[in-house]
């Protein structure tokens, strides 16, 4: 449950003629947990948002950030934001899909061609459809999704040049059924692990490969335990900024406005950060020793089609969501 603190400092103020001896405690001290290192743009912009919200609420809303899986892995944080143990969480679409299945729709393999398609879909009808599904689980999803990025494949074994190179590959994927189904469809041997376990599982060779956007490979130092990076661009992934529904409904309207503005505008700035980072991150990672290659998507898409991946997920997501996706990206299968 969120700490709703009363104004303990009021009597002190009265005795000192309005000069505050004790800093006034916030009315709402809210906890936000996430799975990323503090150096990731998501944490940098969230910190800025927290400072802005504290100021614009005149000290009434104080958001405390717990980055880098301090409060547990994704599965734990998802449970905590549902129970009210924490107030905010930023699960990737893949992760919140364990609770709200349609949320994985943006992660359908090789669907989005570029960021224009991504943001017009996620800020438009497809995103609205997912937010409505999230609301049904008594979680509030802020309007603007934050960027994770296009996911790329790294390995300590060999570069992935075509779908055939996926055969038998021991690859870590997030705890989510869509990437499991997709990598099985490609012939790989995927294993679901929380992000908190990725570095060590690569280091100890529990798995040989993983897949993540380049900024994550950079801030989590995965280049230290991987050798090859294949620019597969297989999934576009983003973070939903979500709040516990009861906490959100209980917040006065004026504070809801301040919090939503702070978070949504920080999300838009974070998208720009990732965009800028995307221009330089590959050469930074090359400097750190990762060897890059750029496969064509054709063999992967072909393999997924013949494995029945698109048909299966069209059925699982339902025609309404699938039609919204295809309106944004064109026919998939
Ligand atoms: O766990 C991952 O791979 C990450 C960091 O991309 C997500 O949050 C899904």
């Amino acid at each position: 449950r969120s700490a709703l603190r009363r104004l303990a400092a009021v009597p002190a103020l009265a005795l000192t003629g309005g000069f505050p001896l004790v800093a006034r405690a916030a009315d709402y001290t809210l906890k936000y947990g996430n799975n990323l290192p503090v150096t990731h743009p998501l944490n940098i912009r969230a910190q800025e948002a927290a400072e802005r919200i504290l100021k614009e609420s005149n000290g009434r809303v104080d958001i405390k950030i717990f980055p880098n899986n301090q409060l547990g892995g994704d599965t734990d944080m998802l449970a905590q934001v549902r129970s009210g143990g924490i107030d905010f969480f930023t699960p990737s679409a893949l992760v919140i899909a364990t609770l709200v299945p349609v949320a994985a729709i943006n992660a359908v393999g090789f669907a989005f061609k570029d960021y224009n398609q991504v943001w017009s879909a996620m800020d438009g009808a497809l995103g609205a459809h997912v937010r409505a599904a999230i609301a049904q689980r008594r979680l509030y999803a802020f309007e603007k999704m934050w960027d994770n990025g296009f996911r790329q494949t790294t390995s300590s074994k060999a570069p992935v040049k075509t779908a055939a190179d996926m055969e038998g590959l021991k690859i870590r994927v997030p705890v989510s059924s869509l990437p499991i189904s997709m990598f099985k469809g490609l012939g790989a041997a995927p294993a679901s692990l929380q992000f908190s376990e990725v570095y060590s599982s690569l280091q100890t060779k529990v798995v040989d490969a993983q897949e993540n956007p380049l900024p994550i490979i950079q801030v989590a130092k995965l280049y230290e335990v991987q050798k090859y990076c294949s620019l597969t661009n297989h999934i576009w992934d983003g973070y939903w900024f979500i709040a516990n529904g009861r906490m959100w409904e209980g917040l006065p309207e004026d504070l809801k406005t301040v919090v939503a503005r702070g978070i949504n505008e920080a999300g838009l700035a974070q998208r720009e950060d990732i965009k800028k980072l995307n221009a330089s991150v590959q050469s930074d990672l090359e400097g750190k020793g990762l060897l890059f290659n750029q496969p064509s998507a054709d063999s992967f898409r072909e393999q997924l089609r013949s494995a029945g991946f698109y048909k299966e997920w069209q059925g699982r997501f339902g025609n309404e969501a699938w039609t919204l996706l295809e309106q944004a990206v064109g026919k998939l299968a």
Side-chain angles (χ1 to χ4, degrees):
R1 168 158 320 196
S2 320
L4 172 58
R5 294 223 205 115
R6 294 294 163 198
L7 299 176
V10 168
L13 283 171
L15 290 172
T16 56
F19 188 79
L21 286 178
V22 187
R24 188 187 147 196
D27 297 351
Y28 297 89
T29 301
L30 304 175
K31 290 186 181 173
Y32 161 42
N34 69 62
N35 67 353
L36 293 182
V38 287
T39 47
H40 190 275
L42 174 137
N43 269 311
I44 294 167
R45 293 297 180 179
Q47 186 56 45
E48 278 179 21
E51 285 158 21
R52 177 182 175 189
I53 290 164
L54 183 66
K55 199 160 153 225
E56 291 184 0
S57 69
N58 297 315
R60 294 175 67 201
V61 179
D62 188 2
I63 299 175
K64 304 269 190 231
I65 306 178
F66 298 84
N68 209 20
N69 297 301
Q70 276 174 23
L71 301 178
D74 282 322
T75 309
D76 307 292
M77 287 189 282
L78 189 58
Q80 290 168 41
V81 76
R82 294 186 71 194
S83 71
I86 61 176
D87 302 287
F88 303 103
F89 175 39
T90 38
S92 133
L94 294 167
V95 168
I96 197 172
T98 57
L99 178 68
V100 182
V102 76
I105 186 101
N106 62 260
V108 168
F110 304 95
F112 291 106
K113 196 173 78 221
D114 57 32
Y115 273 107
N116 288 337
Q117 283 188 349
V118 166
W119 298 130
S120 67
M122 302 322 293
D123 290 340
L126 187 64
H129 183 85
V130 173
R131 291 177 69 228
I134 293 173
Q136 285 183 356
R137 307 312 300 253
R138 296 213 68 191
L139 293 167
Y140 174 76
F142 290 92
E143 220 171 298
K144 300 295 178 190
M145 216 178 177
W146 295 42
D147 196 11
N148 189 359
F150 281 90
R151 300 182 76 91
Q152 317 295 357
T153 307
T154 67
S155 171
S156 58
K157 285 270 159 93
V160 173
K161 292 178 176 158
T162 68
D165 297 322
M166 288 283 183
E167 189 60 39
L169 184 66
K170 276 161 59 186
I171 184 168
R172 173 273 173 177
V173 298
V175 179
S176 185
S177 44
L178 185 137
I180 288 282
S181 152
M182 181 170 150
F183 280 91
K184 280 190 177 155
L186 291 170
S192 271
L193 292 170
Q194 302 206 72
F195 188 62
S196 48
E197 299 173 288
V198 171
Y199 186 98
S200 64
S201 65
L202 292 168
Q203 192 174 35
T204 59
K205 303 274 164 74
V206 170
V207 288
D208 297 315
Q210 68 85 44
E211 44 80 62
N212 250 301
L214 299 186
I216 298 246
I217 294 165
Q218 185 182 49
V219 297
K221 301 190 192 310
L222 301 183
Y223 53 82
E224 293 177 350
V225 286
Q226 295 283 267
K227 193 164 173 129
Y228 301 97
C229 184
S230 305
L231 298 171
T232 45
N233 286 305
H234 52 278
I235 282 175
W236 175 78
D237 188 19
Y239 289 101
W240 285 109
F241 211 115
I242 60 170
N244 173 273
R246 233 174 316 113
M247 180 283 291
W248 184 250
E249 284 152 28
L251 216 53
E253 282 306 317
D254 60 325
L255 295 183
K256 275 187 186 161
T257 303
V258 166
V259 173
R261 183 171 59 223
I263 289 175
N264 286 323
E265 290 183 8
L268 294 178
Q270 189 268 357
R271 294 179 185 180
E272 287 302 308
D273 296 339
I274 296 284
K275 188 173 167 186
K276 286 205 194 92
L277 208 48
N278 281 338
S280 64
V281 63
Q282 180 175 341
S283 64
D284 177 68
L285 291 170
E286 279 168 345
K288 293 179 158 86
L290 265 193
L291 299 170
F292 280 78
N293 71 294
Q294 170 85 71
S296 151
D298 296 347
S299 70
F300 300 92
R301 242 193 235 115
E302 200 38 58
Q303 174 60 33
L304 287 178
R305 271 194 201 110
S306 65
F309 171 82
Y310 294 105
K311 275 259 132 42
E312 180 190 340
W313 285 85
Q314 175 169 11
R316 288 173 75 160
F317 289 131
N319 280 333
E320 191 186 344
W322 196 261
T323 302
L324 291 171
L325 177 63
E326 287 194 331
Q327 275 166 5
V329 304
K331 273 265 172 240
L332 282 164

